[in-house]
Structure formats: C-alpha cells, structure tokens
Amino acid sequence: MRRSLVATHPSVLWFLLALALVTLGVTGLAEAGLISTSFVKTLGKTLCLALVAVAMDVVWGYCGILSLGHLAFFGIGGYAIGMWLMYVRTEEIVAVSLAAEALPPTPQEIRDAIGTQIFGVVGSSDFPWIWSFADRAWLQFPMIVIVPGLLALVFGWLAFRSRVTGVYLSILTQAMTLALSLHLFQNDSGLRGNNGLSGLQNIPGLDGIGQDRISIWFFWASAAALAAGYVFFAWIVSGRMGSVIRAIRDDEARVRFLGYHVESYKLFVFTVTAMVAGLAGALYFPQAGIINPAEVAPIASVYLAVWVAIGGRGRLYGAVIGAVFVSLLSSWFTGGGAPSVSLGVYTIHWTEWWLVLLGLSFVAVTLFAPKGIGGLFDRIAPRPVADRQGDYGPDAGAWRREEGEP
Amino acid sequence: MTALLEVSGVSVSFDGFRAINNLSLTIAEPELRAVIGPNGAGKTTFMDIITGKTRPDSGRILWGEKSVSLIGMSESAIARIGIGRKFQRPTVFQTQTVRDNLAMALKGRRGPREVLFHRATADEAARINAISAEIGLADSLPRIAGELSHGQKQWLEIGMLLAQDPRLLLVDEPAAGMTPAERAHTTDILRRAARTRAVIVVEHDMDFVRRLDCRVTVLHEGAVLAEGSLDHVTRNRDVIDVYLGR
Amino acid sequence: MLRALIFALAALTWLPAAAGAGPLQTLLQDHRAGIEAPSRRSVEAVLDALVASALPGVPLFLERWQDKGVALHAADGLFYYATPAGDGYALADIDSDAPAGTAPRGAITELRPNGGVRREIAGALVAFQLSAPEIGRRRAAVDAIARSTSADHLEPLRASIADEPDPGLRATKARLADLLAARFGATTAERVAAIEALGDDLSVDVRAVLNQILATTAGVAAKLPPEANIARQWRPGTADLPAEAAYARLVAAGLAPPVVGRDQIRAALAAHVAQGRVGGFAVAALNSDAARFAAYAALAETGAVAPTLTPEAQAAAVAAHVFFDEYREADAEVTDAARAALGAIEARVGAYQMADLALDALSLASIYFLAAIGLAITFGVMGVINMAHGEFIMMGAYTGYVVQRIVPDYTVSILLALPLAFAVTFAAGVAMERLVIRHLYHRPLETLLATFGLSIGLQQLAKTIFGTQARPLTSPAWLDGAWVLNDVVAISHIRIAIFVLALVFLGLILFILKRTRLGLEVRAVTQNPGMAGSLGINPDRINMLTFGLGSGIAGIAGVAIGLYAKVTSEMGADYIVQSFMTVVVGGVGNVWGTLAGAAMIGFVQKLIEWLNPSNTLAAQTYMILFIILFIQIRPKGIVALRGRAAGD
C-alpha cells in the first residue's frame, strides 16, 4: 500500500511548517507596523517567484527539460489577470466621468470610452479580439491557466514530437520566449506595446481598503498558492509518475522501450508547470502593479533557471530556497541596500556590480556546487545517492551512460 | 506452434551502407532462438527495426494472430503490444531504487493519467517480490540501482523485462561481463522464460549459446546465412568461412 | 555732374541713337515701341531680333527685363538697368552693366512687362541658356527646367537638342523634352509618342509624370458624364466602396443630405432635455442607441431637429447615382498610353525591387553568417554551447570603438581593429575555455547555464565601463555611399564590405578545417578525443585553440556589425538567438550548413519584411515561428550530417 505523501516525503511537512511560520510572522510584523507595505509586497512577490521556481524545478530538475520559457508563461498569466484588472478599473473611472454627461451612456459608449482610455497610449481605441473576455471575471480568470497551458501544449507538442531534446530544446524554448516578447513589444499586439498594463495594484471593488491590507491579503494568497503548488508538485514527483519522469530525464530511450509514451509525459509536465507558472504570474503582477514585455524577455527565464540551479535542482525546497534567496538578495543589492565598497582607486557600487557578481557566482555554483544551496541539507539528512556513479545531473543527451561506467 | 513475429524481406541502409539486406525470419510462441553473427552482421540493427527505433526501407514485419504491421508504430506502442528489449549495456535507472525500477516496468496501463493516479497494490508488490527473487535481488529492493554490480544490473534489466511480461523478449548479449555462475543463472532464467513466450537472444559467446540449447540463426552482412541447431550451423561451410574470416 | 549735363544735352538734341550708346542700346532703341509697351504678340519680334543679334549682353538684358529691372530714362530716352536706391534709382549701362549714375523717382519709367510677356521672355532666356557656350550653364538650365516643369520650356528645349555638342547632355535634354511633351505636347499624337518613348525609363521623375497624367478625381453623378475620361467606375456596396462611403461621397458632392450620426443624435437630445424628459422619453431610459433613435425621431416630428434619413432612403440615393473616378486629363488616348507605359515600367520596377530585396537579403545573410560562423565552430564542431558568444561579438565591437578613440584615422583604425578584436576575443575565449568550459565538457546544459552567467556578467561589465548609450563605430569615408545601379537598386558599400568579409571568412574557415594540420587535429579530437590523444594530439590544446578561433571570429564579426549597427552592451544578446538558430537550421557541425542557414534566415526575414513592411518586430516574431516550424520538418537542419540531429 502506498504510504501518505508526508510519510514518504517528510520535507513537505517541514516546508509547510516553515511557510506557515513565515506567513504568520510577516503578518504579525506588518500589523505591528514593523515592516513596510512595500516590503510585504516584495515578500509576496518572492513567494510567487518561489512557486514558479518550483514549477521550473519539476520541468528541469525532475524531467530534464531546461525550459527557458517558463517566465514567459508566468508573464502571460500576469497579462491575463492584468487585462481584467485594467478593464474593470477603467470601467469604474469611465462610469464616473460619463455620469456627468446629459444622457446616460449606452453600452457602446462605455466600451468606446474604456477603449480610448486603455489604448490611447498606442494611438488606438478599438478593443483587440484578445480582450473579448476581459470584462467578465468568470471568463477571463480561467485564461490565466488556459492560455499558458495551451501555448505550452502546442509548442511542446511540436518540439517533443520531433524529438528535440537537450540544449536544442532549450534554445528553441528561448526562441519561443523571444518571439513572444517581440510580439508583445509591438503596439498592435493589442496589449499596449512596451507600455504594458499598469495600475494593477488597484483591485476593483476594494477601493475603500488600503494597500497595507490588500498587500497582506495578497501575501496570504501567494503563500497559500505556494503551499498548494508545492504539495501538488510533491504529489506529482512522488510515486509512479515521479519515477517515470525522473527516468525520462535519465534515459528517455529506455523509458520508451518500457512502453511509456515519453512525449505525452513530457507534454504533461511541460503544460502543467506552464499553467502553474501562469497562476503564479497572476498573483505576482497585481502586487507589482505593472507588467510590460520586458518581464517576458528571454533573460528573465534564464534568471529563473539561475535561481533553481543556485537553490539546487531536483528537490522542490531547493527551488524555493534559490528563488527566495536570490531574488531577495537581488532586490537588496539593486535597491541600494548594500553598502558600496571603496577600493581606493575605485568604488564598487553594487547597483552596477550586482549582475556581475550574480553571473560569476552562477558560474561558480555550476562548477563547484552543482547541488546548489539545497545540497547543504544532505549533510543534515543524507539523500540516498549512489556515490559509485556520481550525480551527473539531468543532462539529457549527455554522455551519461559512458561516464557512468564503473 | 504459430508464428508470433514474421519478418520478411526487410532492408535498411544508412547513407548507402546496407545494414540489413532482405532479411526474413519467423519466431513462434513459445520459442527460444539465438541469433549469432560476427561484428557488423546487423544483429543490433535487426533489434532496432523490430522495436521501432529504426524504420526499414522496405519489407514487412507482422505481429501476432492478427498480423499487425509494426512498421510505423512508435517504440512505446511496440513495447506495449508485448515486445520487450534488453540492451547490450545494462541500462537501468541508476538514481532510483531496484523496487522503483521493477515497478516502472510492471505490466500495466502506461498513460500519464493512469500513472499519475496509480496506487500500488498488494498484487503488484507480490509480483515485484517474485521477480526479484527470480533474479536474485530480493534483498536489494530498497537499494539504489546505481550501487549494484555490473552483473546485478544485467539481472535487474532482465527482471524489468520479465516484469513487462512481454510475449517476445529481445535480449542483447545478456551474459557479457558475467562470472560463469552468473551465466548459468542467466541461462536458467532465459530458458524458463522461453517456456511461455518467444525469446530471441543475440550472443557472441558460443558456449552460452550451446547451453541455451535452441534453434540458432546466423546473420551475416544483414541477411540470414544459416538456420538450425547449433551443431547444424557450425558444420555449415558458409558459417565456417564467415567466422574464420576467409 | 558732367555726365548729367551731357544727358541733358542729348535729351535736348534728341538723337536717335546717342553717340556713346553700345550696340545693344542701339538695337533696343530700334525696337523701342515694342519694348516700352509690349504685348505677347509684339514681343516676339523684339525677342527674335535680340536673339538674332547674338550680342553678349542679351541674356542679362532678358533676365533683368523679366525681373522688371529695366527702366527708360525720360531725359535721354535710353534704356538703363535700374535698381531702387534711396529715394531714386541707381542706373547701370545696358551694354556694359557699368554704373551710370542715379536718377530720381520721377525721371525714369520702369518697364513692367505683364505675365504673358514675361513668360515669352523667359522662354527666350532659356533658349539662350540652353545653348550657352559653357556646359555648366547648359546643365543648370536643364536642371532648372526639370525642377519647374512648365509648358513654355518645351519648344526652346527641343530647339536646343540638335545643336547640343555634349552627347550625355543631349540625351538628358531629349529625355526631358519627352517628359515635357508627355504632359504639355500640343497634339495627342505628340504626347502619346513622348509617353511611349519614356516607356523604358525607370526613374522616379518619369513615374511621377505618368502618375500626374493619370491623376484622377472622384466623381458622382446621376448619369455617367459622356464627355468625361473615366478611369474607373465603382459599384457601391462592395468592399471597394462600402455603401456608407458611397453615401458620404453623395453628401460631399451636395447631392444628398448628411446622415445624422450617433454623436449628433446625442448632442441634439442633450440640447433638448426639459424637466428630465426629451422627446417624450425619460432621460434615464436613453441608455441604448435604439431608445435614443426613437427619442430623436419623436423630436424630429415636433420639428425641433432635422429629420433623420432612413436607411432605405440612403440606399435609394446611392442607387440613383453612379460613382466613378475621372482622369483630370481629358484625352483618353493619352491616359491609355500613360497607363500602358506605367504598367510596363512598374512591372520592371517590381522586378528590380525583387533584385534589390535579394541584395538586401544577401547582406543580412552575410551578417547572420558572420555572427554565427564562430558559433558554428564552437557549437557545431566542438559541441560546446556558448551563450556568451554574443558578448564576444560585443567585445569585438567595443575593441573597434576603443581603437577609433585612440587612432583618429578611420581607415587605419579599422585595419588595426580587426586583428586587435580577434586577439582580444581569442584571449577571452581561451581564458573561458580554460577556466570554465573545460570542466563542463559533456555536460551541455550546465555549459549553457555557466556561459549564461558569464554573459550576464560581461554585459553588465560593458555597461559599467562604456555606459548604456550606444557608441558609434564610424566607417572610413571610402565605405560610405552606395553602389547605385539605377533608381531602384542600390546597395551601400558597407554592406558589400560585410559580404566580402563573410566570403573571406567562409574561405578561411574552410581552409583551416580542411587543409591545415590544425583542422585535421580538430576534426580528430571532436570525433574521438581518446583516440586522437593516443595518436599524440593534445586534445586540451586543440580544444583551447578551436574555442579561441571561434571566439576570435566573433570579435571580428563584432567590428563588422558595429560598423553597420550601433555598439551597445546589449548588441550581443540581439544576435545570440538568431546565431544559434542559424547554426541549428543550417545543420550542426558543418560550415556549409551555417552558410545555408544564414542564407535561409536572411532571405526569409527580408521576405517577411517585404510582405509586412511596416513592422520589423513582427517580422522577427514570424521569423522565429518559421524556424520553430522548420525544425519540425528538418530536425537535422538543411545540410544534415549523419548521426547528429537536433535531438542528439
């Protein structure tokens, strides 16, 4: 009989416990006024990043697909919620201004006014077809997961069926991300070009409630989503499914000869993680307040891979640690929190040098600590890893078998 | 005895090199068959073609009572209809336990949905125990497969093959790198398996083939050179020429 | 004073021609009446006489006369050049243009030829200039005529063709005469002949003239006017002319009342609100177009506002009229000839535009090839994924920039920058191989990530050192300009240079890989490092050199790309994905494949841009989608080698 998830994966319990403590602690500190609203938002955003990092870990660390497109799915989720937020918010504003007119507005007039308000910056006032559902939450909310899922499904189907793997697949996913961000940069993409969507922190219907309260709610929602996502993915990577996807990572040809349709499994993992990424994005961007195509740029997805690698791939808590650690450190450095270092002839300003440091530390992690920060936990509770073979990591297409010879 | 697998007139070439040349072969169920041949005779390509890894340029491959054509089917679909393959090098999943390796191979539904909602049953546990006992790894079930010795990995792979419960087993050099005692054990396992299913063993080692005591097919330059008992083929003039390299 | 006295004397004695008067003055005095009060008709005789005299002062006189700068002195009856000065005029002698004193305002009569006369004068003047002895003046006259196309120039221009000694100018004159004749020729036959003579000329001004002849005005009438030269008749209600647009034409022509639109209805209703009601409707109920329309109709019945037109009435009005485009040119034969000529020209222009597009695509392909060729070596031959390859390109470009800051001569600095860029990026590549990549062979995904880390760091480093704004890399003067084939096809020298550079590199790489010891060892090491090692080849050294070579070429590509685009810290990132695509699409591990990949990507991208010229971002998007689909069809790339696939 299969034992419960928590029994087989004690880390899940520990993780949930830690997350609950952090949530309660942050709430308490915020209520006491010890941390600012903007910092609560930063923490909430970090939890969303942790969720997308967990998804990335599943697709990369467990299934061996180094996707350089998951932050694009994250961005699509953000755009999906942003369209609704912006539409409904603008509708409220427009309703007030139109109420001053002599005649009550017709539905068409309201729509035209919203269109002018939203698309004025790109010299248009017509609603593109992609905004068809933006006025109705019950139609638009599912788009948060459906659009990334559908995109991942179509792209994955094309890529996996032609047996593109390894670095080629990575480059292909990067090309997809590039195509998406270039598309969004255009004014006639229907999403306001490089202006992006803004004012997303104003939640319709919650005008009377301050941002300090809303930020805490979003923080809770993000924590809940992370907890749910963590348990969901822990469930997927445990048991038979986990066995199969790790086997695909290590030797996909062999899995095929066992009778598993490898492409379906990859497609499943790719699509499900893309949908969760979309969900994480939908929680992230209302806290960020703005989304623009730069968020979807290929380099953003590379950073996602960096977080997971630094945290330690192939273990879900590693991804969370990596995302939280690097993104908080990054906001500390780039936000001017880190003191400048004076070297006499030259002063290092961390806002400039942080990326250099990140790049180099990333190289160092790849070279010297392939297990990442999560590898430290092995000292506490050693994982059953076959020392005899060494841990070659999920390098699909590598000479793993040859290297693995005793 | 009915034909389980019928290969007829199959040819395949890579960039002008004819790896398989008008090959025809029939396997009944149950049957144990050894395929021997010098290096480059096309033994591995022959297996690749049957398991769907390589698509033949011409010819027919028919399977089972309904004579289903295997050409154009995916590797996984061919594995699901009952053809299991063991590779020359032991390819087990090194980072997973022996139990997980066997469990993954166990016959069952292979779709992502079934696998995701799969729950281990007592029946499955019993099957795993039985197979692990047969391959001599009963005590090693919780071990990581990467820790096993080379011979144990070979057995684990044979165990995975048995767990698949295929109607046809394709076994590529099962005895490579084994001690004499391990070889004897392997022979037993294969002969036992061949009582209920078709087994094709590709092997270099004549002693091992002799011990299998079965019908032998000699491949040379991608075609069948001779077929019959081991004694019969070893007396064949052509076979002697090929092996002595005249 | 003395002179004034003489004038006074002369005036007194009134001699027909003053003793001191020059030949031109004499001639003018002969035609005094015609000059004093010229009419269009009478001036011809005067001009003929002036032209026939061939006096050197005639052109100047004509010019001044045209510009109302000639005056008749009342006292001596002589003609002078007069320019206003102070209260009076400064005078100058007609023959010599030498100053001849001043005259008060009342003493002279300015000659003010009317417009018609001035045109005649201008014609005569042009004739002079067109047959001036200096070729520069003749050219200037031809250019002036080409600028201000006017019918009057046609005859003098034609007259000057036969005597033109310079063959090139004669052809220009003949062509200009045809251009003028096409528009202003006297007879239909003359104009048609001129148009047909222009039929094989691609230049923009020929097309402009033909388009001018073919200019149309939109017309609408109850019946097709029989005398009009109709270009096209429209059928209202089709996609070409929707019913609303047709009705708008009727309104514009004053043939139908304007439609009362939504906005007018709203404004009218708002203006007639009384006690919360308008037209019998409560204001609050007017939140739909139907309700507003009904309220307006009710309002119209009371006569407060103009009635609306029913859609049926609109349709009837449209149906009762014909809509057409009418040529401004009334002569149908001319427009037919012009249409035929323009059609022929446009067909040829289209062909040349294709050629131009192909040249553009070729130069884009050269750039992609240059950017990707280094990658083809490191990725294709060695199997190393170097995501910092784009940053090597950037480093090369910045090397070029730094060299230009030190060496001001652009030619010398470019010649210095090329080897220096190679040296810098070669060193960077070798360092990177030794420090990072060597430890990650056979772990491609980790190589990818580590080099990504380097790429992030190098980019930020460049930003810190050189700032965020784009730095110029100026090409030497001899690379400026373009090679102009005709008005349609032109290709800039810099693109030619890049093309040549790409060819040189293709040759060089092929030579190194196929013909040198290093190439042999590289191929040996990539195929079987162990075996190569046992043959006495040092795989470490070979890997290092190969990686350095690939990186060094990226540096040179950086200089070339910097000349053609701006140098920024992000320029590498702009090329990296395309470069990988080029290598993958072309076929990994093969220089010819890279060439094919670059050619395909360059041509397809230009084609997409041509189909959708407004939007280069969209072109790039579609390009990437195209590549993703292409890899579906040919996962091994265009030039597929055995064994290696996109999936390996």
Side-chain angles (χ1 to χ4, degrees), chain C residues 59-195:
Chain C
L60 182 67
F61 171 74
L62 291 177
E63 230 170 81
R64 297 273 167 94
W65 190 19
Q66 188 188 4
D67 297 342
K68 304 172 192 169
V70 178
L72 187 62
H73 204 294
D76 59 7
L78 292 178
F79 291 100
Y80 290 96
Y81 295 137
T83 42
D87 279 344
Y89 289 89
L91 301 178
D93 184 61
I94 284 285
D95 275 275
S96 63
D97 197 23
T102 56
R105 195 168 281 269
I108 62 161
T109 320
E110 273 187 80
L111 301 183
R112 298 176 177 278
N114 65 28
V117 173
R118 282 214 306 281
R119 264 203 299 282
E120 293 293 323
I121 300 171
L125 194 58
V126 159
F128 262 104
Q129 286 164 342
L130 283 174
S131 40
E134 305 89 3
I135 190 161
R137 284 188 63 195
R138 297 205 302 275
R139 265 209 191 104
V142 170
D143 287 348
I145 292 173
R147 268 198 304 278
S148 66
T149 46
S150 120
D152 307 328
H153 296 144
L154 180 55
E155 281 317 311
L157 184 63
R158 276 203 178 139
S160 76
I161 292 175
D163 297 331
E164 175 59 49
D166 183 71
L169 193 57
R170 195 186 311 142
T172 314
K173 279 181 172 176
R175 183 166 151 279
L176 189 58
D178 278 339
L179 275 176
L180 290 178
R183 286 181 65 193
F184 307 113
T187 64
T188 306
E190 186 186 340
R191 298 180 62 187
V192 170
I195 289 169

Side-chain angles (χ1 to χ4, degrees), chain C residues 304-357:
Chain C
V305 291
T308 56
L309 212 60
T310 59
E312 293 76 39
Q314 282 184 39
V318 167
H321 291 87
V322 284
F323 299 85
F324 54 87
D325 283 349
E326 183 186 356
Y327 287 119
R328 294 216 180 94
E329 171 63 54
D331 195 332
E333 257 182 77
V334 173
T335 50
D336 285 348
R339 213 171 36 224
L342 195 61
I345 290 175
E346 268 164 7
R348 289 186 54 214
V349 166
Y352 276 112
Q353 271 170 346
M354 277 298 140
D356 191 47
L357 194 72

Side-chain angles (χ1 to χ4, degrees), chain B residues 3-245:
Chain B
L4 177 66
L5 179 75
E6 190 187 329
V7 176
S8 52
V10 167
S11 297
V12 68
S13 50
F14 302 118
D15 291 327
F17 167 67
R18 282 214 134 177
I20 296 288
N21 188 7
N22 200 16
L23 177 81
S24 298
L25 194 93
T26 306
I27 302 289
E29 185 184 28
E31 188 188 348
L32 180 60
R33 172 79 61 92
V35 173
I36 60 171
N39 277 330
K43 298 177 304 246
T44 303
T45 309
F46 162 68
M47 284 197 163
D48 284 348
I49 289 174
I50 293 174
T51 53
K53 194 178 174 196
T54 302
R55 210 189 160 110
D57 300 335
S58 61
R60 285 185 309 159
I61 305 171
L62 300 179
W63 167 262
E65 294 77 15
K66 291 181 185 156
S67 293
V68 184
S69 172
L70 296 186
I71 295 172
M73 282 171 80
S74 70
E75 292 104 312
S76 56
I78 290 175
R80 279 199 299 274
I81 63 169
I83 296 180
R85 178 173 183 183
K86 188 211 154 296
F87 288 83
Q88 201 167 331
R89 289 168 188 275
T91 48
V92 296
F93 300 106
Q94 314 238 19
T95 57
Q96 305 195 33
T97 60
V98 173
R99 182 190 298 278
D100 282 346
N101 267 288
L102 288 173
M104 225 186 303
L106 272 186
K107 187 173 184 160
R109 310 287 301 263
R110 299 289 207 230
R113 193 153 35 92
E114 291 89 351
V115 168
L116 185 61
F117 294 103
H118 172 267
R119 296 193 74 88
T121 60
D123 191 33
E124 279 182 10
R127 287 259 307 141
I128 290 173
N129 286 336
I131 291 167
S132 64
E134 182 160 5
I135 57 175
L137 289 172
D139 299 335
S140 306
L141 279 179
R143 288 179 69 192
I144 296 284
E147 294 173 354
L148 300 177
S149 74
H150 186 72
Q152 284 174 316
K153 280 182 191 162
Q154 293 273 40
W155 277 339
L156 174 56
E157 194 165 12
I158 294 172
M160 287 165 73
L161 205 54
L162 294 174
Q164 267 179 275
D165 194 20
R167 292 177 70 185
L168 170 66
L169 277 78
L170 299 168
V171 188
D172 202 349
E173 299 197 21
M178 282 189 178
T179 63
E182 286 173 337
R183 279 167 185 248
H185 189 133
T186 307
T187 322
D188 288 347
I189 292 175
L190 290 176
R191 291 179 60 170
R192 221 169 16 243
R195 279 186 208 142
T196 51
R197 26 187 144 228
V199 177
I200 299 179
V201 180
V202 168
E203 189 51 75
H204 269 313
D205 187 334
M206 282 300 173
D207 282 343
F208 187 84
V209 173
R210 189 172 298 283
R211 223 173 296 133
L212 284 177
D213 187 25
C214 63
R215 206 173 155 82
V216 173
T217 299
V218 185
L219 287 191
H220 177 59
E221 288 177 349
V224 175
L225 190 66
E227 202 168 281
S229 70
L230 185 63
D231 291 333
H232 173 77
V233 299
T234 47
R235 279 195 299 272
N236 186 312
R237 194 69 236 166
D238 296 336
V239 175
I240 294 167
D241 287 350
V242 166
Y243 268 89
L244 295 181

